[in-house]
C-alpha cells in the first residue's frame, strides 16, 4: 500500500512565502502549487484559495521580498538521490542519513567500538523518522508544561519527544517486535553511555542487524519504497569465516562487561518465547555453502530462501535446534522455581543440586559453557529436572 500523503498541511514558512507570491503577482494557483508540492506531500488548489481570500492564516504575515527572492533563486532545493525537499523534508533526509552513517560506521575497517557508535547514531535516525511521521500526520510531538504551554530548553528551543516517548504513543506506527528491539537498543545505550565497556559487538550484532532492517522496512512502509536504503547499502560481503568452535573460543577470550551481561539477561528474561524468536527483535542469518548444478548458480554468494518454503522450514528447523535452543542463567532457573511456588529454592539450593547431580558434565545434556569466559547456561532439560526435584521435596522449598 503506498504511503498516504496529507494534502492540507502547510508549514508557516510556506504560507508566508505563498502570501508573498500572491502579493507580488504573476503567479496563478497552479504555478504556486508547483513550488510547494513534493514527493511526500501534495496540496490542492483549495489551500491556495483559502490563503488568497483570507479565509485562513489571515494573521500570518507574508514573507519579505528578500526571503521570497532567496526561496525562488534556490528552488528546487532538493536531495539529488531522493527528490526530497532539503527544507520541507529535512527530518526524513536526516533519518536516512543517520542510519546510513550508523551502518557505514559499524562496517568500518579498523574500528574497535563499533556497536556503541552504531547504537547512538541509529537511535538518532529512528528518532528523526518518528518525528517525520508524527509531523506528517499532524501529531504534536513537543513536550508541554502543566499549563499547556510548549516546554522550552534553556536556549529557548522547543523540547521534542525522545524515541522512547514516540514508541509509547497510542498511534506509534511500528509493530510490537520492532518496539521490543528498539527498547533493547535504548536500554543498552543507557548502559554504555554511563560506563566504559569492552567490545560487545558479537553479543548484540543480531539485534543491531534487526534494528537497521526494521528501519528500512519502516521508512518504506511509512513514506514510500523509493526511500529504502538498498541502493546505498547493498549486502556486505564478509571476508572472514569461522568454524563454530573457533567462534566460541573468540567469544570466551573476550569478557562481556558484567553490567552489560546482567542487562541482557534481565531484558530477555522478560520476553515471551514469541518475542524472543521474532526476527524483528533479533535477526539471525545462516551462510550455507551452495553446490549448484550450474556454474552460474554455484557462483552465487548469497541465496535468499522464503521462510514458508520447504527448504526455508528445514533451514529454520536446523537453526532452532543447533543455534537458538533456549538458554537460562542460574538466576533465571531458581527464580523460575520460586515463581512456581517454591520460594525457599534459592541460589544456594540450586548450586547444591547441580553439584550433587554433576549437572555441568556435558554428557548429561543439561547445559553448556556460555558464550563468554566463566559463564554457564542451562537448557530446558535442566529446568524439567529441577522442577521435578522441587516437586519431590515438597514442603522443603515452600
Amino acid at each position: 500500500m503506498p504511503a498516504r500523503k496529507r494534502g492540507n498541511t502547510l508549514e508557516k514558512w510556506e504560507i508566508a512565502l505563498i502570501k508573498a507570491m500572491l502579493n507580488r503577482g504573476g503567479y496563478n494557483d497552479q504555478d504556486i502549487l508547483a513550488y510547494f508540492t513534493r514527493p511526500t506531500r501534495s496540496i490542492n488548489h483549495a489551500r491556495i484559495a483559502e490563503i488568497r481570500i483570507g479565509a485562513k492564516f489571515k494573521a500570518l504575515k507574508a514573507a519579505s521580498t528578500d526571503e521570497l527572492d532567496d526561496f525562488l533563486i534556490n528552488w528546487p532545493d532538493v536531495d539529488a538521490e531522493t527528490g526530497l525537499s532539503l527544507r520541507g523534508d529535512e527530518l526524513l533526509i536526516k533519518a536516512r542519513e543517520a542510519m546510513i552513517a550508523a551502518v557505514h560506521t559499524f562496517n568500518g575497517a579498523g574500528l574497535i567500538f563499533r556497536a556503541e557508535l552504531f547504537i547512538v547514531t541509529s537511535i538518532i535516525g529512528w528518532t528523526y523518522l518518528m518525528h517525520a511521521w508524527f509531523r506528517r500526520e499532524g501529531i504534536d510531538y513537543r513536550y508541554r508544561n502543566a499549563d499547556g504551554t510548549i516546554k522550552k530548553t534553556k536556549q529557548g528551543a522547543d523540547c521534542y519527544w525522545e524515541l522512547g516517548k514516540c514508541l509509547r504513543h497510542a498511534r506509534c506506527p511500528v509493530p510490537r517486535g520492532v518496539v521490543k528491539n528498539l527498547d533493547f537498543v535504548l536500554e543498552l545505550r543507557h548502559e554504555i553511555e554511563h560506563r566504559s565497556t569492552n567490545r560487545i559487538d558479537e553479543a548484540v550484532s543480531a539485534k543491531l542487524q534487526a534494528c537497521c532492517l526494521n528501519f528500512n522496512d519502516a521508512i518504506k512502509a511509512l513514506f514510500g519504497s523509493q526511500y529504502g536504503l538498498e541502493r546505498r547499502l547493498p549486502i556486505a560481503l564478509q571476508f572472514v569465516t569461522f568454524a563454530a568452535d573457533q567462534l566460541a573460543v573468540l567469544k570466551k577470550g573476550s569478557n562481556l562487561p558484567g553490567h552489560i551481561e546482567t542487562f541482557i539477561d534481565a531484558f530477555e528474561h522478560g520476553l515471551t518465547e514469541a518475542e524472543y524468536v521474532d526476527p524483528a527483535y533479533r535477526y539471525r542469518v545462516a551462510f550455507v555453502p551452495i553446490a549448484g548444478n550450474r556454474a552460474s548458480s554455484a557462483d552465487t554468494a548469497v541465496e535468499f530462501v522464503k521462510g514458508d518454503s520447504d527448504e526455508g522450514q528445514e533451514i529454520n528447523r536446523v537453526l532452532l535446534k543447533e543455534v537458538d535452543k533456549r538458554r537460562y542463567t542460574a538466576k533465571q532457573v531458581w527464580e523460575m522455581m520460586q515463581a512456581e511456588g517454591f520460594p525457599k529454592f534459592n541460589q544456594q539450593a540450586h548450586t547444591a543440586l547441580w553439584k550433587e547431580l554433576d549437572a555441568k558434565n556435558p554428557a548429561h545434556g543439561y547445559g553448556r559453557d556460555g558464550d563468554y569466559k566463566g559463564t554457564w547456561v542451562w537448557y530446558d532439560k535442566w529446568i524439567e529436572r529441577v522442577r521435578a526435584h522441587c516437586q519431590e521435596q515438597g514442603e522443603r522449598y515452600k
Side-chain angles (χ1 to χ4, degrees):
M1 180 181 295
R4 183 166 65 90
K5 298 178 182 178
R6 294 179 65 86
N8 60 351
T9 303
L10 286 165
E11 303 291 335
K12 288 183 179 180
W13 64 270
E14 293 175 307
I15 297 168
L17 288 168
I18 291 172
K19 283 192 171 187
M21 295 174 80
L22 292 171
N23 291 341
R24 176 172 293 185
Y27 300 95
N28 60 39
D29 290 1
Q30 186 63 44
D31 293 333
I32 296 174
L33 285 175
Y35 281 99
F36 297 96
T37 296
R38 54 180 184 263
T40 58
R41 184 202 62 188
S42 61
I43 56 176
N44 56 47
H45 290 77
R47 302 289 81 77
I48 307 301
E50 289 171 345
I51 297 172
R52 183 188 294 278
I53 65 176
K56 286 188 176 182
F57 315 115
K58 193 171 183 178
L60 190 64
K61 293 183 179 180
S64 67
T65 298
D66 288 342
E67 289 172 332
L68 178 57
D69 287 340
D70 181 67
F71 171 76
L72 294 173
I73 291 171
N74 290 289
W75 188 89
D77 192 12
V78 299
D79 174 58
E81 180 186 0
T82 62
L84 292 170
S85 167
L86 294 180
R87 185 171 180 181
D89 297 311
E90 181 181 6
L91 288 171
L92 190 56
I93 294 173
K94 284 183 174 180
R96 294 182 80 252
E97 290 189 350
M99 185 55 72
I100 290 169
V103 175
H104 280 316
T105 299
F106 191 83
N107 289 338
L111 295 179
I112 297 175
F113 299 103
R114 300 177 300 156
E116 291 90 332
L117 295 171
F118 175 91
I119 288 167
V120 172
T121 313
S122 65
I123 288 174
I124 293 173
W126 270 104
T127 304
Y128 280 136
L129 183 64
M130 291 293 96
H131 287 180
W133 187 82
F134 285 137
R135 182 179 182 181
R136 190 193 71 185
E137 297 298 307
I139 298 172
D140 189 353
Y141 52 96
R142 296 174 295 179
Y143 276 104
R144 292 183 177 273
N145 298 309
D147 61 0
T149 58
I150 303 299
K151 187 175 181 180
K152 300 287 185 177
T153 66
K154 292 181 180 180
Q155 291 73 32
D158 293 348
C159 288
Y160 294 101
W161 294 348
E162 74 281 2
L163 180 55
K165 175 75 170 177
C166 294
L167 297 176
R168 299 294 173 262
H169 191 272
R171 288 187 60 192
C172 175
V174 297
R176 180 175 176 81
V178 176
V179 172
K180 283 294 182 183
N181 174 266
L182 290 174
D183 283 343
F184 177 90
V185 174
L186 283 168
E187 291 193 33
L188 183 57
R189 192 274 307 271
H190 297 330
E191 289 291 329
I192 66 177
E193 69 182 347
H194 298 300
R195 307 188 195 183
S196 177
T197 61
N198 298 329
R199 292 188 61 184
I200 60 173
D201 301 352
E202 187 62 44
V204 299
S205 60
K207 280 88 167 181
L208 304 189
Q209 180 71 63
C211 179
C212 62
L213 291 176
N214 292 340
F215 179 92
N216 197 42
D217 290 340
I219 197 171
K220 291 192 293 185
L222 300 178
F223 291 95
S225 58
Q226 66 271 36
Y227 304 121
L229 308 182
E230 293 93 336
R231 287 181 294 177
R232 290 284 297 275
L233 296 170
I235 295 173
L237 295 177
Q238 182 168 331
F239 295 102
V240 181
T241 60
F242 299 109
D245 55 343
Q246 291 175 301
L247 186 56
V249 170
L250 288 174
K251 288 182 177 180
K252 291 184 178 67
S254 176
N255 290 325
L256 189 65
H259 66 101
I260 298 295
E261 183 178 0
T262 300
F263 152 69
I264 294 176
D265 286 343
F267 187 93
E268 296 192 338
H269 183 57
L271 299 178
T272 65
E273 183 68 22
E275 290 171 340
Y276 181 74
V277 300
D278 188 345
Y281 171 64
R282 60 184 193 128
Y283 191 84
R284 306 295 293 272
V285 177
F287 290 89
V288 182
I290 301 172
N293 294 326
R294 302 185 308 275
S296 59
S297 64
D299 288 339
T300 303
V302 178
E303 181 178 3
F304 292 94
V305 180
K306 290 186 177 180
D308 56 358
S309 67
D310 291 341
E311 185 177 3
Q313 290 177 359
E314 176 63 16
I315 291 174
N316 190 53
R317 183 190 67 78
V318 173
L319 289 177
L320 288 175
K321 178 180 178 182
E322 301 298 332
V323 179
D324 286 338
K325 183 181 291 187
R326 191 61 190 249
R327 296 165 288 177
Y328 305 88
T329 64
K331 183 179 180 181
Q332 288 174 322
V333 174
W334 55 261
E335 283 185 344
M336 190 182 304
M337 295 305 107
Q338 290 180 344
E340 293 181 9
F342 304 101
K344 293 183 180 180
F345 187 83
N346 53 24
Q347 181 179 5
Q348 183 179 359
H350 179 258
T351 301
L353 180 61
W354 71 253
K355 287 183 177 180
E356 177 186 345
L357 300 178
D358 189 26
K360 288 190 177 182
N361 185 334
H364 298 315
Y366 287 134
R368 65 168 176 82
D369 287 325
D371 288 339
Y372 299 93
K373 187 177 181 180
T375 64
W376 180 273
V377 291
W378 300 98
Y379 294 149
D380 285 319
K381 182 179 179 181
W382 176 244
I383 298 294
E384 295 171 3
R385 181 64 184 87
V386 174
R387 183 179 291 115
H389 170 76
C390 290
Q391 292 171 348
E392 290 168 1
Q393 295 298 315
E395 296 300 321
R396 177 181 174 184
Y397 298 120
K398 293 185 178 180

